[in-house]
Structures are given as C-alpha cells and as structure tokens.
Amino acid sequence: MRYTLLLHYPEMMADGQLSDEAIEQGQAAFNDYAKALNAAGVLVSAEVLQPTSATTSVSRKTGELVVQDGPFADTKEALGGSFVIDVADLDSAMEWAGDAPSIQWGTVEIRPGATWFDTSADAWQGDPRS
C-alpha cells in the first residue's frame, strides 16, 4: 500500500533563525531518514519544498484562471516536503512517520494513496475508488 507522508512544520521566517550547524544537522537527519527508507525498500519518492513565499496558487472556481502569490491558507505550519512510501499497512506507515526528523517540531500527515501515474507504464495505477 502506498502512503504519502506530508511533513508540516513551522517555516523559517528570516535568515539567521537557524545556525549553519543546525541546518547541517537537519540536512544530515533527513539524509539518514531517506537512506533508511531506501535501504528498507519502501521509498518511492521524496521531496523537500521551497518556502511558501515561492508558492503560486491557481484556481478556476469562477471559470477564469485566478493566480495568487503565496499559499492559499495562512497557517503557522506549512507543507515542507513529502515522502511516498510503499509499505504493508498503516501501522508500518506510522512507524516510518514516527522516525521522520521533522516530527520533533511539526506534524507528519499520513495519507493513503489512491492512484498514481506510473511513468514507465505511461498510465494511472491503483484503484480510484480507494
């Protein structure tokens, strides 16, 4: 079963909030976490996102394309990255989520996958009714 671990945590608001040493420690922790997922054979993909200040949100609710700079929601925590894993069940996903470095200062949302686009098959996979 595929699960996406969505990492929500407070964003750094200004340069200098974290020391270079703290940044290096965080990068090392995420590197170790990704390598552990990969070594276990459960990692499908991983991505760290740029800050919400680089976000552009789009909508067609009115029929026309509306573009908004920044995230749609104004929250203290922001989606900072994701890991897609393929594990046996929710219990396994929760175990891996509990090891995510960002769980120390934020929340890890675990969401089961329903469908995904398989680039090698050039087709959607999974059950859209999930």
PDB file of all heavy atoms in Angstrom, residues 72-86:
ATOM      1  N   PHE A  72      -2.437  29.183  -0.328  1.00  0.00           N
ATOM      2  CA  PHE A  72      -3.855  29.505  -0.210  1.00  0.00           C
ATOM      3  C   PHE A  72      -4.237  29.775   1.237  1.00  0.00           C
ATOM      4  O   PHE A  72      -4.976  30.691   1.533  1.00  0.00           O
ATOM      5  CB  PHE A  72      -4.703  28.361  -0.781  1.00  0.00           C
ATOM      6  CG  PHE A  72      -6.167  28.659  -0.778  1.00  0.00           C
ATOM      7  CD1 PHE A  72      -6.709  29.576  -1.668  1.00  0.00           C
ATOM      8  CD2 PHE A  72      -7.013  28.053   0.135  1.00  0.00           C
ATOM      9  CE1 PHE A  72      -8.061  29.872  -1.659  1.00  0.00           C
ATOM     10  CE2 PHE A  72      -8.361  28.337   0.147  1.00  0.00           C
ATOM     11  CZ  PHE A  72      -8.879  29.243  -0.750  1.00  0.00           C
ATOM     12  N   ALA A  73      -3.713  28.963   2.149  1.00  0.00           N
ATOM     13  CA  ALA A  73      -4.057  29.108   3.569  1.00  0.00           C
ATOM     14  C   ALA A  73      -2.948  29.842   4.308  1.00  0.00           C
ATOM     15  O   ALA A  73      -1.772  29.654   4.031  1.00  0.00           O
ATOM     16  CB  ALA A  73      -4.269  27.733   4.196  1.00  0.00           C
ATOM     17  N   ASP A  74      -3.329  30.669   5.268  1.00  0.00           N
ATOM     18  CA  ASP A  74      -2.369  31.361   6.106  1.00  0.00           C
ATOM     19  C   ASP A  74      -2.298  30.610   7.432  1.00  0.00           C
ATOM     20  O   ASP A  74      -3.171  30.756   8.279  1.00  0.00           O
ATOM     21  CB  ASP A  74      -2.808  32.813   6.316  1.00  0.00           C
ATOM     22  CG  ASP A  74      -1.779  33.616   7.083  1.00  0.00           C
ATOM     23  OD1 ASP A  74      -0.595  33.228   7.092  1.00  0.00           O
ATOM     24  OD2 ASP A  74      -2.163  34.634   7.677  1.00  0.00           O
ATOM     25  N   THR A  75      -1.270  29.776   7.587  1.00  0.00           N
ATOM     26  CA  THR A  75      -1.132  28.958   8.790  1.00  0.00           C
ATOM     27  C   THR A  75       0.270  29.103   9.348  1.00  0.00           C
ATOM     28  O   THR A  75       1.179  29.573   8.675  1.00  0.00           O
ATOM     29  CB  THR A  75      -1.390  27.473   8.474  1.00  0.00           C
ATOM     30  OG1 THR A  75      -0.400  27.040   7.540  1.00  0.00           O
ATOM     31  CG2 THR A  75      -2.770  27.248   7.899  1.00  0.00           C
ATOM     32  N   LYS A  76       0.441  28.676  10.595  1.00  0.00           N
ATOM     33  CA  LYS A  76       1.753  28.723  11.210  1.00  0.00           C
ATOM     34  C   LYS A  76       2.634  27.597  10.694  1.00  0.00           C
ATOM     35  O   LYS A  76       3.831  27.740  10.596  1.00  0.00           O
ATOM     36  CB  LYS A  76       1.630  28.642  12.725  1.00  0.00           C
ATOM     37  CG  LYS A  76       1.002  29.888  13.308  1.00  0.00           C
ATOM     38  CD  LYS A  76       0.975  29.855  14.795  1.00  0.00           C
ATOM     39  CE  LYS A  76       0.295  31.137  15.273  1.00  0.00           C
ATOM     40  NZ  LYS A  76       0.424  31.364  16.666  1.00  0.00           N
ATOM     41  N   GLU A  77       2.028  26.435  10.399  1.00  0.00           N
ATOM     42  CA  GLU A  77       2.779  25.327   9.833  1.00  0.00           C
ATOM     43  C   GLU A  77       2.506  25.278   8.338  1.00  0.00           C
ATOM     44  O   GLU A  77       1.427  25.629   7.885  1.00  0.00           O
ATOM     45  CB  GLU A  77       2.361  23.999  10.459  1.00  0.00           C
ATOM     46  CG  GLU A  77       2.853  23.817  11.870  1.00  0.00           C
ATOM     47  CD  GLU A  77       2.623  22.413  12.398  1.00  0.00           C
ATOM     48  OE1 GLU A  77       1.865  21.647  11.778  1.00  0.00           O
ATOM     49  OE2 GLU A  77       3.199  22.088  13.434  1.00  0.00           O
ATOM     50  N   ALA A  78       3.491  24.847   7.586  1.00  0.00           N
ATOM     51  CA  ALA A  78       3.348  24.752   6.139  1.00  0.00           C
ATOM     52  C   ALA A  78       3.824  23.384   5.681  1.00  0.00           C
ATOM     53  O   ALA A  78       4.612  22.726   6.365  1.00  0.00           O
ATOM     54  CB  ALA A  78       4.160  25.838   5.453  1.00  0.00           C
ATOM     55  N   LEU A  79       3.335  22.951   4.545  1.00  0.00           N
ATOM     56  CA  LEU A  79       3.812  21.714   3.952  1.00  0.00           C
ATOM     57  C   LEU A  79       5.239  21.950   3.499  1.00  0.00           C
ATOM     58  O   LEU A  79       5.508  22.810   2.656  1.00  0.00           O
ATOM     59  CB  LEU A  79       2.924  21.316   2.771  1.00  0.00           C
ATOM     60  CG  LEU A  79       3.338  20.050   2.027  1.00  0.00           C
ATOM     61  CD1 LEU A  79       3.308  18.844   2.961  1.00  0.00           C
ATOM     62  CD2 LEU A  79       2.424  19.825   0.847  1.00  0.00           C
ATOM     63  N   GLY A  80       6.161  21.221   4.089  1.00  0.00           N
ATOM     64  CA  GLY A  80       7.572  21.435   3.792  1.00  0.00           C
ATOM     65  C   GLY A  80       8.183  20.373   2.907  1.00  0.00           C
ATOM     66  O   GLY A  80       9.232  20.574   2.324  1.00  0.00           O
ATOM     67  N   GLY A  81       7.517  19.226   2.799  1.00  0.00           N
ATOM     68  CA  GLY A  81       8.057  18.162   1.970  1.00  0.00           C
ATOM     69  C   GLY A  81       7.200  16.918   2.089  1.00  0.00           C
ATOM     70  O   GLY A  81       6.212  16.885   2.821  1.00  0.00           O
ATOM     71  N   SER A  82       7.598  15.892   1.345  1.00  0.00           N
ATOM     72  CA  SER A  82       6.828  14.647   1.372  1.00  0.00           C
ATOM     73  C   SER A  82       7.723  13.465   1.058  1.00  0.00           C
ATOM     74  O   SER A  82       8.750  13.596   0.398  1.00  0.00           O
ATOM     75  CB  SER A  82       5.681  14.711   0.361  1.00  0.00           C
ATOM     76  OG  SER A  82       6.194  14.800  -0.956  1.00  0.00           O
ATOM     77  N   PHE A  83       7.324  12.337   1.572  1.00  0.00           N
ATOM     78  CA  PHE A  83       7.922  11.055   1.247  1.00  0.00           C
ATOM     79  C   PHE A  83       6.790  10.146   0.827  1.00  0.00           C
ATOM     80  O   PHE A  83       5.775  10.042   1.536  1.00  0.00           O
ATOM     81  CB  PHE A  83       8.612  10.432   2.474  1.00  0.00           C
ATOM     82  CG  PHE A  83       9.904  11.097   2.856  1.00  0.00           C
ATOM     83  CD1 PHE A  83       9.915  12.221   3.662  1.00  0.00           C
ATOM     84  CD2 PHE A  83      11.107  10.585   2.405  1.00  0.00           C
ATOM     85  CE1 PHE A  83      11.099  12.828   4.020  1.00  0.00           C
ATOM     86  CE2 PHE A  83      12.306  11.196   2.756  1.00  0.00           C
ATOM     87  CZ  PHE A  83      12.302  12.319   3.561  1.00  0.00           C
ATOM     88  N   VAL A  84       6.912   9.500  -0.312  1.00  0.00           N
ATOM     89  CA  VAL A  84       5.945   8.489  -0.729  1.00  0.00           C
ATOM     90  C   VAL A  84       6.596   7.147  -0.447  1.00  0.00           C
ATOM     91  O   VAL A  84       7.718   6.883  -0.902  1.00  0.00           O
ATOM     92  CB  VAL A  84       5.574   8.617  -2.220  1.00  0.00           C
ATOM     93  CG1 VAL A  84       4.603   7.521  -2.626  1.00  0.00           C
ATOM     94  CG2 VAL A  84       4.970   9.991  -2.501  1.00  0.00           C
ATOM     95  N   ILE A  85       5.887   6.319   0.325  1.00  0.00           N
ATOM     96  CA  ILE A  85       6.422   5.011   0.696  1.00  0.00           C
ATOM     97  C   ILE A  85       5.435   3.928   0.299  1.00  0.00           C
ATOM     98  O   ILE A  85       4.244   4.182   0.155  1.00  0.00           O
ATOM     99  CB  ILE A  85       6.740   4.934   2.206  1.00  0.00           C
ATOM    100  CG1 ILE A  85       5.502   5.207   3.063  1.00  0.00           C
ATOM    101  CG2 ILE A  85       7.860   5.920   2.562  1.00  0.00           C
ATOM    102  CD1 ILE A  85       5.723   5.015   4.569  1.00  0.00           C
ATOM    103  N   ASP A  86       5.919   2.736   0.113  1.00  0.00           N
ATOM    104  CA  ASP A  86       5.090   1.583  -0.215  1.00  0.00           C
ATOM    105  C   ASP A  86       5.347   0.541   0.860  1.00  0.00           C
ATOM    106  O   ASP A  86       6.414  -0.089   0.880  1.00  0.00           O
ATOM    107  CB  ASP A  86       5.452   1.049  -1.605  1.00  0.00           C
ATOM    108  CG  ASP A  86       4.424   0.062  -2.131  1.00  0.00           C
ATOM    109  OD1 ASP A  86       3.558  -0.393  -1.352  1.00  0.00           O
ATOM    110  OD2 ASP A  86       4.502  -0.263  -3.329  1.00  0.00           O
TER     111      ASP A  86
END
